[in-house]
Amino acid sequence: MSKLNQLQGCAITGIGSYVPERVLSNSDLEKLVDTNDEWITTRTGIKERRMAAENEFTSTMAVKASLKALTQAELSPTDLDLIVVATITPDMPFPATACLVQQELGASKAAAFDLEAACSGFIYALEVGRAFISSGVYQNVLIIGAEKLSSIIDWEDRNTCVLFGDGAGAAVLQRRDGARGVLATRLGSDGNKAEILAMPGGGCRQPATVDSVNDRIHFLKMEGKEVYKNAVTAMTAAAKDVMEQSGLSIDDIKCIIPHQANQRIISAIGERLGAKEDQVFVNLQKYGNTSAASVAVALDEALESGKIERGDRILIIAFGAGLTWGATVLEW
Ligand code: COA
């Protein structure tokens, strides 16, 4: 059996997303740090982002996105075999946020675990779910990318606080004989560059102490320029790889859904792939970078906007801390 045939039989039957109500605009940020709308817009393309309420958590946003995806799939939570939550902002270090989602949904027969691949998390979760389905282990899998990044942002650091937002996206994957679904996927990682994007505190290396809190190591730290360069190179290579694996050229792709981190990164990748501007879906001006939720929220909005129809090929590309990256080609 060819690699392509092995990947068949897994269909995405439902997609859903949720973003919190509260909007934080660039001019709101001008009141917090030394920045301005012009800098943020020209360097990133972001105009505003959503902030979760105090009583909203990664799990509660994940549940809202999941209920939409389950409704679209016409599937009851009790039919789920597995729930995977991709996140870097779990409700707590343990138990897994996926278990909190399982409880809230009433998914009584589902296994549940979290997956941590930062902004590449949704593509990693998609490949994990796809593998369980294609191997015949499970029939119905719920994958979620959800983040309350506002809880790990240093609101005194202008280099990072302007970039991120909160939200959640979910997809229902189901066994469907003959479905094309996921055509090809490439995942990658490079731990040599772990330090360029990290939250150093709170794990077993540097547990929380009075000093660690005073040293602000429980916040996200980033070397922006290094991340930028690695993101463009890795996402371009992964995208080319999955197009080659699936025997498709850029003209065969109806819609490219790149990780929504920075308009300049997205444009650079589009250019290297030879994509036309109208092939590339962008919504980062509204939400900023929502990490694991980013491509899931974008896919949901691209579908709702009517940009994607049955049979269209979609290229999803992501990159994040780890470093991690991934690309996947879907037939919708
Ligand atoms: N407002 C105003 N000025 C800011 C600023 C802000 N919010 N953030 C940084 N600056 C300043 C810097 O302090 C620096 O000033 P200096 O030259 O006096 O030191 C100047 O702007 C230029 O910073 P630089 O880092 O050269 O900007 P850049 O063109 O690389 O853009 C990023 C910065 C963060 C937007 C860009 O590097 C980036 O997008 N990186 C990738 C980030 C990302 O996507 N991360 C998540 C990946 S999953």
Side-chain angles (χ1 to χ4, degrees), residues 14 18 60 95 110 120 125 140 196-197 216 240-241 243 257 275 279:
Y18 170 80
T60 52
S120 313
N140 306 314
I196 68 172
L197 181 50
R216 310 185 77 76
K240 286 185 175 169
D241 190 330
M243 284 195 290
I257 313 254
Q279 276 175 292

Side-chain angles (χ1 to χ4, degrees), residues 33-36 39-40 43-44 118-120 157-164 197 222-229 231 259-262 264-265 289 291 319-321:
V33 287
D34 180 13
T35 190
N36 56 75
W39 192 96
I40 302 171
R43 300 292 174 116
T44 72
C119 305
S120 313
D157 178 9
R158 69 175 183 173
N159 291 293
T160 53
C161 75
V162 301
L163 302 175
F164 299 96
L197 181 50
M222 183 176 70
E223 292 173 35
K225 272 200 198 318
E226 272 311 298
V227 172
Y228 187 107
K229 280 189 278 181
H259 173 44
Q260 306 287 313
N262 184 315
R264 286 153 60 212
I265 294 177
N289 180 350
S291 190
F319 176 88

